[in-house]
Amino acid sequence: MLTRLMRNEGVWLFTRSPAAILAAIATLAIVAGAAFAPWIAPTNPYDLASFSLIDGLLPPAWEDGGSPRFLLGTDDQGRDMLSSILYGARLSLSIAAMAMAVALLLGVGLGLAAGYLGGRFDAIVMRIADVQLALPAILTALLIDGISRGILPREMHDDLRVTVITLAIALSLWVNFARTARASVFVERSKDYVSAAIMMGQHPLRIMLRHILPNIVGPLLVIATVDLASAILLEATLSFLGVGLPADSPSLGTLIRIGMQYLLSGEWWILWIPTVFLVVLVVAINLLGDFLRDLFNPGMR
Amino acid sequence: MFRTTFPVAALALSTTLLSSLPVAAETFRWAGTTDPQTMDPHAVNAAPVLSFLNNVYEGLVRRDPEMGVEPSLATSWEALPDGAGWRFTLREGVTFHDGSEFNADDVIFSYERAVSEASDVRSWFASVTEVVRVDDFTVDFVTTAPNPLFPGSIANFMILDSGWAAENGADLPARDAENHATRNANGTGPFMLAARNPGIETRLVPNENWWDTAGHNVTEAIFTPIGNPATGLAALLSGEIDFISPIPLQDAEQVEERDGFEVLAGLETRVIMLGFGHDHDSLLYSEETTGANPFHDPRVRRAVAQAIDVETIDRVIMRGAAEPASQLVPAGLSGYSDDHADRPDYDPDAARALLDEAGYGDGFSFGLMCPNDRYINDEAVCRAVASMLARIGVEANVNAMPVRGYWDELRADNFDMYLLGWSPGTFDAEHPIRFLAHTPTERLGTWNFGGYSNQRIDALLAPIQSEVDPAARQAMLDEVAGILQEDVAYVPLYTQPLIWAMQENVDVVQRPDDFFMLRWVTVN
């Protein structure tokens, strides 16, 4: 069993790359922490009755004045930093993952169709993609958030905040998928198995999904991983700028925004701990992405 | 170890990019959290507007650094016989910034403007029936009853040039819309408005023809609103601005320790309080309590008061710089009631018992409106209040918003409970009674958003205004303070601290109303 596993190229490469192993461990740990936050976090930071201002601004447990009840200290409202971070990561990761999924569906769908159908449809989709590429992702996201603020009544906008942010991020990330899918389809389309399928009279949709898609999954997976990191960063940036999630359901970016107030005052943990956490998360996912790229692109090895 | 200059430089970058103009040595740059919403002195009765415009416009009287009343556009004033009002003798030879002459017509015009329907400052003249022109430089303010404190109460009543306003279609203040006076100004004050860019910067230059001797040495003054206090502080530390108010309380110590900077701290006359929707039939922001308003019940209001631990808010959020408050005015202010100096004790158990008694033992949820850039740490205070109320089972949904839209929301009755700060412009306890406690009418109770109403208080306001004997007056003020406490009409939280920071070479005068007077600024 073990030898069979070792013979698998991917696993073998993985065991040879300490960076990939570390990144995988860090990512897994954070994802698990976020997923199981309600069970492992010491307190629920969304439950107003579960924290008290009396515990406000306590330093981490290892510092003078810290309390073992609050391993990473507390913020200005007396919320446990560890719990806030775990819940924040949960929110950040789920928004990023949802945005990723939307971007993937949209991008791959359009890219596949454009590549396979070609012609006018291809031209239109790719020009839209070009325009989208000319806009920085953060600008697109701000634009969508701004428009939704303008057209939706305030209560509704507050309720739809997570949806709006997810869509905003998804719309700024779909281009990569579309372009990659289209380019891969171009390569695959001229291959014999596609010609064979066409000659057998199969429906174009079936050819796209059953024959071509499985063969271009590799590069898409690489992009998905790297873009997941971008999505997390984008969500953090939006929340940091104050257009993201509100202070009573803080994502990592919101936590960092709140912590900014304490940049100069000596309560370093309120800013630095969520920041370091975010950096570790993004670096780990990026390293995994690099590893996958190497794996699916033997020429780069 | 984290107090390196690197993060400061990074922070300052954003603001540097915005204003990359070279700073001339004699230019004075200052910043605050809130941009004055308008340049019209009668359109918005809020401290950021009045404070700023006191540099451009002037009243008949003005306040000195110790808050005493001194002559300004009026050289003297005397009570009319039988307490029928006040006669003001106007200063001759004063010109407006555009060169036109100041006289009694401008005072009467400004009065008419200030009491018009569109004005936000009508309650200053609640006791005035008319203003009579005696001659070119004498006017009588006729009042319904003797009003010994009247001259000091109109220090912020600023005089506009009647000709200028008529020419530019600014006869009336524009509260919701805009008119010429919203972005332009033509006062008599020590500074002239040179450029107004709302929300970005406002530029003032000294008025060379000012009637008084200029005590400042500023040749140009630029105000920039910086909403984020950390950004504002970074701008100060990087030398981009000379003065800022307020700085984050948590940074005061750190700024003080630095070379080249100075922190001026004190207590403002502003009391931060919670208000209730007294006249609302039902809660607006409640999932389960519909068709009823628990805050009608004084026991529920008292429960709120007893659930809030003001000492801890002061210690953690205000860094011990605030002072717990028991009334609508801070301790020591004229008219403060020593008999009612105690706040309700912090006692969550008693609060829960009160809720139980009132039939809300299972708690309820409601909406708490809150500004997030008006008062020091306002949003953090609201969140702390929400967390403390959660401990007695009451769920406050905090809705924090910039002050730009805040007053409109409150005027539209869009709240169940709200946060308000009140600084009595007259430095007397009568002021908040007139604005916050009297039943809302055309000129009275204009900031009583919740519509609190008590006949006894309404009846006492006029005698308080006209009573000449200090002891009798204080007795009435004591009674009002007692009723307000008994009713828990508001929940006074604390007196807000003043925290100004500046470059060491700048000398300023800190007035306890947080008004920043450019005429007292010297740059060395």
Side-chain angles (χ1 to χ4, degrees):
Chain A
M1 180 68 197
L2 194 69
T3 45
R4 251 187 70 195
L5 250 180
M6 290 300 287
R7 237 179 267 138
N8 180 310
E9 194 189 22
V11 178
W12 184 77
L13 268 177
F14 184 72
T15 54
R16 294 284 301 268
S17 163
I21 295 176
L22 270 179
I25 293 174
T27 311
L28 267 180
I30 292 174
V31 170
F36 299 111
W39 294 277
I40 59 174
T43 60
N44 176 359
Y46 304 157
D47 177 9
L48 291 176
S50 73
F51 53 88
S52 164
L53 192 62
I54 291 180
D55 303 320
L57 299 174
L58 290 177
W62 63 85
E63 293 255 314
D64 279 351
S67 152
R69 281 195 299 143
F70 307 106
L71 198 58
L72 300 181
T74 59
D75 67 5
D76 63 330
Q77 296 282 324
R79 259 186 304 230
D80 177 36
M81 286 303 293
L82 177 62
S83 309
S84 295
I85 289 173
L86 288 178
Y87 274 83
R90 185 182 165 87
L91 210 53
S92 292
L93 277 172
S94 40
I95 288 181
M98 278 191 295
M100 239 356 284
V102 175
L104 193 76
L105 275 177
L106 191 70
V108 172
L110 285 173
L112 264 182
Y116 186 83
L117 300 174
R120 189 170 289 172
F121 183 78
D122 178 38
I124 293 173
V125 170
M126 283 305 116
R127 289 304 80 72
I128 296 176
D130 286 345
V131 171
Q132 175 76 70
L133 264 192
L135 288 172
I138 181 79
L139 194 64
T140 315
L142 278 173
L143 207 67
I144 293 168
D145 187 80
I147 292 171
S148 76
R149 245 168 236 268
I151 55 175
L152 296 176
R154 224 198 32 245
E155 290 81 37
M156 207 163 139
H157 181 265
D158 285 350
D159 293 342
L160 291 176
R161 239 168 157 161
V162 170
T163 320
V164 168
I165 291 189
T166 309
L167 279 182
I169 298 172
L171 279 187
S172 43
L173 292 177
W174 67 273
V175 178
N176 272 343
F177 293 108
R179 286 167 76 107
T180 311
R182 173 177 172 271
S184 309
V185 171
F186 272 148
V187 176
E188 299 294 321
R189 201 174 54 178
S190 54
K191 290 195 176 160
D192 289 345
Y193 74 92
V194 178
S195 310
I198 294 173
M199 273 187 286
M200 282 165 70
Q202 286 190 354
H203 192 273
L205 201 63
R206 188 176 159 84
I207 298 176
M208 276 190 256
L209 295 180
R210 288 293 299 274
H211 297 274
I212 298 181
L213 186 59
N215 285 296
I216 61 171
V217 157
L220 290 178
L221 197 62
V222 175
I223 296 181
T225 323
V226 176
D227 273 9
L228 182 65
S230 316
I232 293 173
L233 274 183
L234 202 52
E235 185 279 321
T237 313
L238 286 175
S239 294
F240 180 79
L241 292 175
V243 297
L245 297 163
D248 51 1
S249 55
S251 68
L252 288 176
T254 318
L255 288 177
I256 294 171
R257 174 165 66 94
I258 296 170
M260 275 289 286
Q261 301 166 18
Y262 304 96
L263 189 62
L264 302 171
S265 68
E267 281 105 6
W268 56 270
W269 60 93
I270 304 179
L271 174 63
W272 285 95
I273 293 178
T275 310
V276 168
F277 193 85
L278 179 69
V279 169
V280 169
L281 175 63
V282 171
V283 168
I285 295 180
N286 269 327
L287 284 176
L288 274 186
D290 279 357
F291 170 75
L292 287 177
R293 190 196 58 205
D294 293 352
L295 186 64
F296 289 115
N297 190 351
M300 296 276 293
R301 260 181 239 158
Chain B
M1 76 184 265
F2 290 98
R3 290 180 182 173
T4 57
T5 48
F6 161 69
V8 181
L11 256 181
L13 189 66
S14 54
T15 42
T16 318
L17 289 175
L18 284 174
S19 53
S20 47
L21 291 162
V23 182
E26 62 280 0
T27 298
F28 177 74
R29 287 168 178 272
W30 88 108
T33 339
T34 316
D35 195 41
Q37 292 107 304
T38 171
M39 293 291 109
D40 190 321
H42 306 142
V44 178
N45 180 17
V49 176
L50 298 179
S51 164
F52 187 89
L53 290 180
N54 257 296
N55 294 305
V56 179
Y57 286 103
E58 286 174 303
L60 298 177
V61 306
R62 67 183 186 194
R63 296 209 176 252
D64 64 23
E66 276 77 48
M67 300 307 302
V69 176
E70 63 177 24
S72 182
L73 289 181
T75 50
S76 63
W77 50 91
E78 54 183 358
L80 293 171
D82 305 326
W86 285 85
R87 169 161 297 180
F88 290 84
T89 309
L90 305 181
R91 193 177 295 277
E92 296 186 33
V94 175
T95 54
F96 285 94
H97 295 158
D98 70 352
S100 52
E101 192 202 15
F102 160 77
N103 60 32
D105 294 332
D106 299 310
V107 177
I108 291 172
F109 167 76
S110 299
Y111 165 77
E112 299 289 350
R113 195 173 188 273
V115 297
S116 68
E117 191 114 345
S119 160
D120 193 31
V121 300
R122 306 166 88 184
S123 58
W124 292 346
F125 301 101
S127 61
V128 177
T129 49
E130 61 171 333
V131 178
V132 180
R133 179 196 154 108
V134 179
D135 60 45
D136 261 5
F137 290 97
T138 315
V139 287
D140 286 347
F141 280 73
V142 181
T143 56
T144 47
N147 193 341
L149 293 175
F150 181 72
S153 78
I154 55 164
N156 286 330
F157 164 51
M158 296 176 232
I159 308 297
L160 259 78
D161 179 20
S162 53
W164 176 79
E167 241 164 66
N168 294 294
D171 292 317
L172 293 175
R175 202 195 289 186
D176 302 319
E178 284 202 0
N179 66 22
H180 190 72
T182 315
R183 293 194 185 212
N184 301 279
N186 183 31
T188 57
F191 285 85
M192 305 194 285
L193 186 63
R196 164 76 175 153
N197 205 343
I200 298 169
E201 73 167 32
T202 308
R203 207 175 278 258
L204 300 178
V205 292
N207 173 9
E208 303 300 342
N209 301 319
W210 193 38
W211 56 270
D212 200 359
T213 334
H216 65 86
N217 66 351
V218 176
T219 55
E220 185 186 30
I222 300 172
F223 175 81
T224 317
I226 303 180
N228 183 328
T231 314
L233 181 60
L236 178 79
L237 297 181
S238 70
E240 198 185 317
I241 54 173
D242 301 306
F243 172 93
I244 184 165
S245 164
I247 57 164
L249 287 166
Q250 63 265 26
D251 296 324
E253 196 184 326
Q254 199 259 135
V255 175
E256 191 114 53
E257 280 167 11
R258 275 178 195 244
D259 282 342
F261 298 96
E262 208 181 322
V263 173
L264 211 54
L267 272 181
E268 198 185 342
T269 46
R270 182 178 302 279
V271 170
I272 305 293
M273 63 188 91
L274 295 171
F276 302 98
H278 291 278
D279 62 356
H280 297 183
D281 293 330
S282 62
L283 293 178
L284 296 171
Y285 295 91
S286 182
E287 286 95 45
E288 75 300 314
T289 312
T290 45
N293 180 0
F295 296 125
H296 280 165
D297 191 325
R299 287 171 298 192
V300 174
R301 302 200 293 266
R302 177 163 300 275
V304 169
Q306 293 212 282
I308 296 171
D309 181 359
V310 174
E311 304 279 345
T312 303
I313 291 182
D314 177 29
R315 178 176 65 82
V316 179
I317 300 180
M318 308 306 283
R319 310 275 162 154
E323 191 70 47
S326 61
Q327 298 165 34
L328 306 188
V329 291
L333 199 88
S334 147
Y336 172 81
S337 174
D338 288 319
D339 298 349
H340 300 94
D342 294 329
R343 298 192 84 256
D345 294 332
Y346 166 59
D347 188 344
D349 294 325
R352 244 180 260 112
L354 279 167
L355 279 182
D356 224 6
E357 228 178 279
Y360 289 99
D362 296 332
F364 59 93
S365 67
F366 70 96
L368 171 57
M369 278 284 185
C370 190
N372 59 16
D373 60 357
R374 177 64 191 92
Y375 311 116
I376 296 176
N377 295 338
D378 39 15
E379 186 176 354
V381 169
C382 283
R383 300 216 177 275
V385 164
S387 157
M388 286 166 179
L389 291 179
R391 301 195 156 243
I392 61 163
V394 177
E395 188 193 332
N397 302 308
V398 177
N399 190 348
M401 64 176 72
V403 71
R404 216 176 319 120
Y406 188 62
W407 305 130
D408 296 337
E409 295 288 341
L410 294 191
R411 282 190 202 292
D413 268 350
N414 188 13
F415 60 85
D416 296 321
M417 195 198 271
Y418 61 95
L419 188 83
L420 176 72
W422 196 258
S423 179
T426 57
F427 295 86
D428 185 89
E430 175 268 344
H431 188 269
I433 299 174
R434 184 166 17 123
F435 278 91
L436 306 179
H438 193 282
T439 308
T441 65
E442 207 168 278
R443 288 192 186 183
L444 294 167
T446 44
W447 283 64
N448 181 359
F449 299 114
Y452 172 74
S453 178
N454 181 295
Q455 289 185 338
R456 182 67 188 147
I457 291 180
D458 292 358
L460 279 170
L461 180 61
I464 287 172
Q465 288 173 335
S466 56
E467 182 55 62
V468 188
D469 173 34
R473 184 172 192 272
Q474 188 58 49
M476 291 188 280
L477 286 169
D478 286 350
E479 188 182 342
V480 172
I483 297 173
L484 289 173
Q485 276 189 351
E486 188 61 33
D487 264 5
V488 201
Y490 291 89
V491 179
L493 297 175
Y494 55 84
T495 306
Q496 171 161 291
L498 280 177
I499 185 113
W500 295 9
M502 64 213 89
Q503 311 279 352
E504 213 165 36
N505 63 340
V506 174
D507 282 332
V508 302
V509 174
Q510 186 172 47
R511 241 168 61 167
D513 57 356
D514 203 18
F515 276 28
F516 180 71
M517 293 296 157
L518 278 172
R519 65 173 198 266
W520 295 324
V521 171
T522 42
V523 183
N524 302 316

